């Protein structure tokens, strides 16, 4: 009883800290800041790295080619040596587009670059002396005014990087269980308020949708400065912020991911491919993460059930209090994803899955498979 009581008390203290002292990460009110139309709309080039994206391109690419943008804009799709006809499909989709489309292929991938960043570098070079770049993934669909709203937010607030976390798909049971928690955990690691604060050391972005000033990107060293990064969005935000740029990150209202993850195995790969990289490939950090996740997320329900079953009211009360705080902080994210409130009680189980994904990520790294994605291993 004593050990479980101490663990549940530690978990409760952790949740009190997370709830009130971790940048209010659980709130979902970080949306595009107040903005007004600029006196002159700057030129924007949209760069889309794409590798084997023929399945989602018919939905995502037309949404970019039909943007209602008052200034000059064009789209560059970088076909990263796809094997499914991505480039040819993009050419066909661009024949009757409102915005000009260029489809290009980068040179062979150098050994010290990740594929996505090599493709981005190629697209950025072709963009030339544009004022802004919209870096967006091939599985991201934008509402018609998305580009204009992003640029207006940057211009109105003097921001060098404006990024939105796309609303991910939640259709299947596994998507409903895993996806809202994915964004919740990301915000817990990188509280949006802290990232958006100029003097804070926290820096984060969402790689699926980021508008960046070309001058700020060049000042940060360009794409080459993060060429080997697996978690490229956070690395980009850190590079821009540490070089003196102002960044902003929030949840999207006009940007949606159209990539389906109907099975657990697909969601598992999405998380595990970069989880160990997030821990800087450190066994010590891995052990600390496993212990931390266990105490913070798994102890509360265990203490609640065991305490009630064994007649230990103090254990049950502290465990239930921690579980209640956990569920309460998860509710805003569930509302954002239009999921039922009772799903908040399942967060410990989802956290256990993430714990296993993190361990699996480390195992794959130790086996020499590293961050594997789209046929490449880093």
């Amino acid at each position: 009883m004593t050990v479980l009581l101490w663990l549940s008390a530690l978990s409760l203290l952790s949740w009190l800290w997370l709830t009130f002292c971790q940048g209010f990460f659980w709130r979902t009110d970080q949306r595009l800041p107040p903005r007004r139309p600029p006196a002159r709309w700057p030129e924007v080039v949209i760069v889309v790295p794409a590798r084997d994206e023929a399945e989602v391109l018919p939905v995502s690419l037309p949404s970019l080619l039909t943007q209602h943008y008052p200034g000059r804009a064009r789209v560059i799709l970088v076909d990263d040596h796809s094997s499914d006809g991505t480039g040819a499909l993009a050419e066909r989709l661009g024949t009757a587009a409102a915005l000009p489309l260029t489809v290009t292929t980068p040179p062979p991938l150098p050994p010290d670059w990740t594929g996505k960043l090599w493709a981005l570098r190629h697209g950025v070079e072709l963009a030339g002396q544009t004022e802004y770049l919209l870096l967006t993934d091939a599985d991201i669909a934008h509402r018609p005014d998305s580009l204009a709203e992003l640029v207006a937010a940057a211009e109105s607030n003097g921001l060098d990087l404006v990024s939105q976390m796309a609303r991910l798909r939640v259709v299947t049971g596994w998507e409903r269980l895993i996806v809202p928690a994915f964004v919740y955990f990301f915000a817990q690691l990188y509280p949006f308020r802290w990232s958006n604060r100029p003097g804070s050391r926290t820096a984060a972005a969402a790689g699926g949708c980021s508008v960046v000033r070309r001058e700020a990107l060049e000042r940060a060293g360009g794409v080459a400065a993060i060429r080997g990064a697996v978690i490229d969005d956070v690395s980009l935000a850190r590079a821009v912020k540490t070089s003196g740029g102002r960044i902003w990150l929030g949840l999207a209202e006009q940007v949606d991911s159209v990539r389906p993850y109907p099975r657990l195995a697909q969601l598992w790969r999405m998380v595990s491919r970069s989880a160990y990289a997030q821990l800087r490939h450190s066994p010590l950090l891995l052990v600390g993460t496993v212990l931390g996740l266990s105490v913070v997320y798994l102890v509360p329900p265990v203490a609640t059930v065991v305490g009630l079953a064994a007649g230990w009211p103090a254990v049950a009360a502290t465990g239930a209090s921690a579980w209640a705080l956990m569920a309460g902080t998860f509710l805003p994210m569930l509302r954002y994803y239009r999921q039922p409130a009772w799903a908040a009680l399942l967060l410990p189980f989802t956290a256990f899955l993430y714990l296993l994904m993190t361990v699996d990520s480390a195992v794959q790294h130790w086996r020499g498979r590293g961050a594997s994605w789209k046929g490449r291993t880093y």
Side-chain angles (χ1 to χ4, degrees):
M1 171 185 173
T2 303
V3 173
L4 190 55
L5 179 60
W6 278 106
L7 287 175
S8 59
L10 178 59
S11 182
L12 177 57
L13 289 174
S14 299
W15 276 108
L16 287 169
W17 171 268
L18 288 170
T19 302
F20 300 107
C21 303
Q22 187 66 9
F24 292 98
F25 74 94
W26 45 272
R27 297 182 62 178
T28 56
D29 57 352
Q30 292 296 290
R31 309 296 172 92
L32 278 179
R35 55 208 174 274
R36 59 187 181 278
R40 183 189 67 83
W41 288 93
E43 180 184 2
V44 184
V45 175
I46 303 170
V47 181
V48 186
R51 179 174 170 85
D52 294 335
E53 298 287 9
E55 179 184 2
V56 297
L57 216 57
V59 179
S60 61
L61 187 56
S63 75
L64 293 171
L65 297 172
T66 56
Q67 282 295 299
H68 298 163
Y69 186 69
R72 292 180 58 190
R74 56 192 176 98
V75 180
I76 297 176
L77 184 135
V78 186
D79 178 18
D80 185 14
H81 305 278
S82 300
S83 60
D84 65 349
T86 289
L89 175 59
E91 294 275 13
R92 292 196 298 272
L93 292 171
T95 53
L99 298 185
L101 172 67
T102 300
V103 179
T104 182
T105 300
L109 179 65
D112 56 342
W113 285 74
T114 63
K116 177 183 176 180
L117 292 175
W118 180 245
L120 273 180
R121 176 185 179 274
H122 185 65
V124 169
E125 285 184 343
L126 290 180
Q129 297 302 303
T130 184
E131 294 168 85
Y132 281 93
L133 295 152
L134 170 57
L135 312 178
T136 185
D137 288 346
D139 62 343
I140 302 298
H142 294 251
R143 310 285 174 83
D145 294 324
S146 172
L147 179 60
E149 293 291 329
L150 288 164
V151 173
E155 288 284 286
S156 299
N157 298 277
L159 298 168
D160 296 293
L161 174 67
V162 177
S163 184
Q164 288 189 298
M165 180 75 71
R167 198 190 302 261
L168 305 176
R169 202 186 89 135
V170 283
V171 176
T172 68
W174 285 116
E175 287 172 339
R176 295 190 183 105
L177 182 68
I178 301 292
V179 166
F182 176 81
V183 183
Y184 174 87
F185 292 145
F186 183 89
Q188 191 178 92
L189 283 172
Y190 305 102
F192 292 178
R193 279 177 172 77
W194 289 359
S195 181
N196 298 344
R197 191 185 305 158
S200 171
R201 296 177 60 185
T202 304
C209 175
S210 294
V211 158
V212 60
R213 293 182 194 263
R214 181 187 55 81
E215 291 182 351
L217 181 60
E218 291 178 352
R219 188 171 61 243
V223 181
I226 58 170
R227 59 183 175 271
V230 175
I231 310 175
D232 52 87
D233 42 14
V234 173
S235 299
L236 174 63
R238 186 178 295 121
V240 171
K241 193 171 188 178
T242 55
S243 62
R246 291 190 60 200
I247 67 173
W248 184 91
L249 169 65
L251 295 173
E253 295 175 331
Q254 299 196 72
V255 183
D256 301 278
S257 173
V258 297
R259 187 183 302 282
Y261 291 99
R263 297 187 298 275
L264 176 60
Q266 296 166 310
L267 288 160
W268 193 288
R269 284 195 298 272
M270 178 190 74
V271 176
S272 66
R273 69 188 177 95
S274 60
Y276 197 43
Q278 181 68 57
L279 300 178
R280 301 194 292 275
H281 304 115
S282 167
L284 185 60
L285 286 178
L286 175 65
V287 172
T289 298
V290 170
L291 292 176
L293 286 173
S294 299
V295 170
V296 173
Y297 286 98
L298 305 186
V299 165
V302 170
T304 302
V305 173
V306 172
L308 290 174
W312 298 338
V315 172
T318 52
S321 298
W323 198 357
L325 280 173
M326 182 196 316
T329 60
F330 193 36
L331 282 174
M333 189 62 68
L334 289 174
R335 283 196 294 268
Y336 173 73
Y337 274 99
R338 304 181 184 93
Q339 298 303 302
W342 60 261
L345 296 175
L346 299 179
L347 187 57
F349 175 68
T350 308
F352 177 64
L353 291 179
Y354 274 87
L355 185 155
L356 296 179
M357 293 173 192
T358 303
V359 172
D360 180 60
S361 179
V363 171
Q364 297 307 317
H365 175 80
W366 295 331
R367 288 179 175 177
R369 298 175 184 175
S372 178
W373 190 249
K374 300 275 185 173
R376 289 175 175 145
T377 299
Y378 303 107

